[in-house]
Amino acid sequence: MVARKEAMMSSVRNEIALANAQELMNKASDRCFLKCVTKPGSSLSSSEQTCLSRCLERYMEAFNIVSRTYISRVGREREGQTSADV
């Protein structure tokens, strides 16, 4: 029963993480598009393509830094709880 509950909780956490990542990509795409594409047309200019690429790279880099920091922090907190339980 406990294993089943843990599996369900893990599944829910994964679904939430996926939804958050999708929301981040949607917001980043929207913001980068507004910033980089000043005159929408049938195709993107090379400068617009470059701007979009760099903008999205910055969002992903920031997301990765925040994610690593958060995961590290959660790990340290769990270790602290485990040693406090012992």
Side-chain angles (χ1 to χ4, degrees), residues 18-78:
L18 179 60
N20 286 338
Q22 288 173 332
E23 182 178 351
L24 170 75
M25 286 307 301
N26 289 336
K27 284 184 179 181
S29 295
D30 289 345
R31 288 182 179 163
C32 290
F33 184 85
L34 290 172
K35 176 186 177 220
C36 297
V37 182
T38 55
K39 296 180 183 177
S42 60
S43 63
L44 297 172
S45 69
S46 63
S47 62
E48 290 171 333
Q49 290 177 12
T50 301
C51 180
L52 284 168
S53 178
R54 288 181 180 162
C55 183
L56 289 169
E57 282 177 15
R58 284 193 299 267
Y59 266 97
M60 292 310 300
E61 183 179 347
F63 176 76
N64 288 334
I65 290 168
V66 170
S67 294
R68 282 194 303 268
T69 303
Y70 177 74
I71 289 168
S72 175
R73 179 179 169 193
V74 168
R76 285 193 310 270
E77 288 176 1
R78 285 186 181 165

